[in-house]
Each structure stands twice: as structure tokens, then as C-alpha cells.
Amino acid sequence: MCFHNEAWSVLLRSVHSVIDRSDPKLLKEIILVDDFSDMSHLGEQLQNYMDKLNIVQIIRMKKREGLIRSRLAGAKAASGDVLTFLDSHIECTEGWLEPLLDEIHQNSTVVVTPVIDGIQDTTLEYQGKNENDVYVGGFDWNLQFNWHEIPERERKRRLDKVSPIYSPTMAGGLFSICRKYFIELGTYDAGMEIWGGENLELSFKVWMCGGTLEIIPCSRVGHIFRRRSPYIWKEGENVVEKNSMRLAEVWMDEYKNFYYERFNRQLGNYGDISLRIKLRERLKCKSFDWYLTNIFPELFIPGQATHTGEVRNKANNYCIDGLSNYLYYDQPIGFLPCHGLGENQYWLMSKKGEIRRDEACLDYDGSGKVKTYLCHNLEGNQKWVYKESGLIEHSVSQSCMEGSDAGELVMNICDVNNIRQLWLWPQRK
Ligand code: UDP
Ligand code: MN
């Protein structure tokens, strides 16, 4: 369990829940890794407290290393057969450990995660999920982790509701892995900084190199999901982007380009990855194409789009601009000066006529504004036609997108002679 400036009560709750709710026969040791915290309660006070428990060891990083290298330090010090990584603001529930260990005992190449329940960040109340409310991990082409419903094919494969669930990726905070297998897989990429990307790296690697990643529905651990990260990251550096580039370069083959497109290929310095490439060769891992086809066939592949990039209005060089995060669904899409950086102005036209980025589709219900919604695959309000003339027509309402002078995106009666309704959108080669 690594931590950086964790609250006292929260850290104690995490540690005590492990001790109280694990069979002593199964719990060899608890290793806390302090990632250079400067809160006073995490110094001597913590050491004195933990010493009395007789099962906790504290490792101190000598400078801020981030969660990836801190976890590696913890893993190195560990002597048990199985490593269980946990965040420092969690609560293990009764019976959380046995189902995880049992699965690894049967097959040491299975990497397992519990179902992650919520702990409310304001009241610290444990909020157990309904047993049907279980999701699997995925990712988008910005290489952000996300959750999605258990696919139909997986529902069919499972024998019953307690069976493990195959998951294309893991959230990263909580999981168990056979220690030897973690080493065999090349642990984490120690070139990654602070936070992010390491969960996808391990997920891709497990599947592509012969292992299995599962969510174990009978194991439940609560986690405090914070609205924003409470601590300081590295100044002047986008660490998640750097980590994601390392991930893309090593594991994603030609598919890395779909990620790079998102920020117009402005690749910064992501450091030396030669050792990670050697690792992949040594492990004789399968291709990323194999992974997408067999492990995550639900993912929309940008290569299947007909048009891609910014959607530029001919009248004033303004572009369609909007967030694709689900938190911003149901809000009007923007119309802003084109900036040429991709990001919120990057859109794909799918063969089905969706205008989408990741799981968000432009949606128009015939009145009001164009909004984003979760892509539903049913065409309807999400079907558009980009005409040769440059018009973008909404099929159901037979109206066209128009950029107003006021910097708004409106829908109007289609008119090829109205330059405000004409759009430039690069064709995918
Ligand atoms: N952490 C750390 N050093 C860092 C950043 C994070 O030790 O530089 C720890 C943090 O205290 C937590 C774990 O890594 O125990 C995961 O971080 P966080 O909970 O912020 O990630 P989230 O759950 O929000 O994805
Ligand atoms: Mn966390």
C-alpha cells in the first residue's frame, strides 16, 4: 500500500481493514510505502503506531517517486507468494481475500481484482454496490481507463454470477498477482512518473503475453473516489501523457497512431523505452491487433471512420468543439476558433453516420441544441451525413449544422448556398 500525504484516519482504516478481515494464515505482511509525504502525522507517529501491530513494515522513499516506482519498491521488499496492491484509502470487506487468492492458486497467470465499491468522499460511508452493478474495465483512444457493461459474449461464457469476469483492463488501484508472475512480466515500467498509464500497461501486457485479467465478483473492497487529485503532481510536465506515450510505443503497434492523432502528434520526450521493447520480444507477446480482436472487440476503432480530425466551418474557421467525457453528456456542443491541436475538436465520422469521439456521439433530438450522448448504435438521433457539398445533415430531422456568427452551433433548413453550413473535414486515408 503506497501513499503520498494520506489522512491519518483514512490510512488507519485501510490498514486495519486488511488486518481485521484477512485470515492470518493468508496474510504474511503489510508493506506501507511512504512516497515522500510531508504531513507530520506520517512520520514518527505513524512508525510508532504501526510498530505495535507487529505485521506492518514501512518503507520510505527518499524523494517523490510517484505511485509506480513506490509500488515497485514495495514489491521488491515483499516476500509472500502473492502481491496484493491496494490504495491507501480503502476498506476491505469480510471475505475479500480468499476468492482472489483461490483464483491465483489455480492458475498463477491470472491477475485478479476485487469489485471496487465506493466510499463517499464527504461522509466516508461505505456504499456497497448491488451485485448486478458490476462493470468491466476498458479504455478510450485518449488512453484513459473507463468502465463499461459486461458484454453479452462474456455473460454467456460465465457459468453463474459468482464466476470470474474477464476484463480487458483494470482500474489499477487494487489487484493481486502472483509475485513470480509479476516479475516474469517485467513488473511495471519504472520510467513512468507519478500516476497513470501503468494500469493499462499491465492490462495489455497480461492479455497479450498469455495471462488473464479477471474481476472477482465475490471479493469486495471499498475505495474513496476523489473528485480531483488532492496532491501536487510534477510541475510543468504532463506526466500522464508521457506515461501513455511509453505505453503506446511499446504495446500498441500501429494503433498508437489513433492516440497520437488526438493531440496532432505533438509528441514530447517520453524517455528511453528500449528495455521495455526488449521485454515484449522476450515474452513473445501477441500483437495489439490480436488483443483488440479477441479481448476487447467492443472498442470502436478510429480506423473504421470515414472522416477524422477537426470539423472546420468554411465561413469563419471556427470548429465543432466539445468534451466527450460522460460528465458532459447532455450539454450543448461548442463552436470555437479552430486551434489545430485535435483534443476537443477531434471528431470521427463512423461508417454508420455517427459523429463521435470515443463513446460520445453528437445527438440532436429535432429541437434545441446539438449535444453529446453515449453512442447507442441505433442511428436515430445520432445519424448524420457529411455530404460532398460540405453540408452535415441530420437524417431524422433533415436539417443541417450551421455555425452562427454568435459562436453557436445551430440546426437549420439545409441550404448549400449558405457558407455557414459548409464544413471541411479531412477524409481518413
Ligand atoms: N500515490 C503515491 N505517490 C504519488 C501519487 C499517488 O504514493 O505520487 C498513491 C496514493 O496515495 C494512492 C495510490 O498511489 O494510495 C493511488 O493514487 P490515487 O488514489 O490518487 O489514484 P486514484 O485512485 O485517484 O486513481
Ligand atoms: Mn485511489
Side-chain angles (χ1 to χ4, degrees), residues 3-61:
F3 61 90
H4 175 73
N5 282 343
E6 192 58 85
W8 176 255
S9 61
V10 170
L11 182 57
L12 261 55
R13 176 183 185 170
S14 305
V15 171
H16 280 288
S17 78
V18 173
I19 296 173
D20 295 349
R21 290 174 178 158
S22 308
D23 183 333
K25 287 201 295 292
L26 301 176
L27 184 64
K28 176 141 194 178
E29 60 193 343
I30 297 175
I31 300 174
L32 299 182
V33 184
D34 171 14
D35 186 14
F36 207 58
S37 304
D38 53 19
M39 288 177 164
S40 59
H41 62 259
L42 297 172
E44 222 180 291
Q45 188 185 336
L46 184 72
Q47 191 69 54
N48 292 338
Y49 187 96
M50 292 300 164
D51 282 349
K52 295 197 191 92
L53 301 179
N54 277 325
I55 190 160
V56 183
Q57 176 192 157
I58 305 180
I59 294 172
R60 309 274 187 183
M61 303 311 283

Side-chain angles (χ1 to χ4, degrees), residues 196-357:
E198 88 296 342
N199 57 328
L200 296 187
E201 198 245 2
L202 187 57
S203 306
F204 295 169
K205 190 161 67 175
V206 165
W207 282 116
M208 288 165 66
C209 311
T212 311
L213 183 58
E214 295 178 349
I215 295 170
I216 307 298
C218 293
S219 173
R220 301 247 164 189
V221 177
H223 170 260
I224 306 180
F225 291 93
R226 279 90 53 100
R227 262 156 255 201
R228 68 176 85 86
S229 192
Y231 41 77
I232 299 164
W233 290 37
K234 260 201 165 157
E235 280 174 42
E237 212 182 304
N238 188 338
V239 292
V240 180
E241 203 162 86
K242 180 189 164 186
N243 295 350
S244 298
M245 282 178 210
R246 295 181 68 86
L247 164 73
E249 280 295 314
V250 177
W251 295 100
M252 293 173 68
D253 306 326
E254 69 277 14
Y255 288 90
K256 70 185 175 190
N257 292 310
F258 297 138
Y259 169 53
Y260 296 157
E261 258 176 46
R262 296 291 286 265
F263 46 91
N264 245 348
R265 295 165 199 280
Q266 313 267 323
L267 271 72
N269 175 16
Y270 50 78
D272 181 5
I273 50 158
S274 54
L275 288 177
R276 303 308 285 178
I277 290 180
K278 282 214 186 86
L279 168 74
R280 181 172 166 184
E281 283 162 10
R282 179 163 55 76
L283 291 172
K284 298 198 171 46
C285 307
K286 296 192 183 84
S287 69
F288 198 66
D289 187 70
W290 174 91
Y291 168 81
L292 291 177
T293 309
N294 295 282
I295 307 303
F296 198 9
E298 290 76 28
L299 185 67
F300 176 75
I301 311 286
Q304 294 158 4
T306 59
H307 293 80
T308 176
E310 62 177 25
V311 189
R312 181 183 287 259
N313 192 278
K314 281 195 183 172
N316 57 3
N317 289 317
Y318 271 42
C319 280
I320 299 177
D321 188 305
L323 297 159
S324 48
N325 189 298
Y326 70 94
L327 296 170
Y328 298 91
Y329 286 170
D330 202 16
Q331 288 186 28
I333 275 296
F335 182 57
L336 293 165
C338 302
H339 53 47
L341 299 172
E343 298 172 355
N344 297 334
Q345 297 184 351
Y346 171 93
W347 300 99
L348 299 159
M349 181 90 205
S350 75
K351 292 207 172 90
K352 293 187 91 161
E354 297 150 319
I355 300 176
R356 62 186 290 163
R357 185 188 316 128

Side-chain angles (χ1 to χ4, degrees), residues 397-427:
S397 64
Q398 298 259 307
S399 52
C400 284
M401 273 191 192
E402 180 174 318
S404 84
D405 278 343
E408 270 182 290
L409 189 70
V410 296
M411 296 299 293
N412 216 335
I413 298 163
C414 298
D415 176 7
V416 272
N417 296 315
N418 181 353
I419 191 172
R420 292 196 183 86
Q421 289 191 11
L422 303 185
W423 302 86
L424 292 168
W425 196 355
Q427 202 160 359

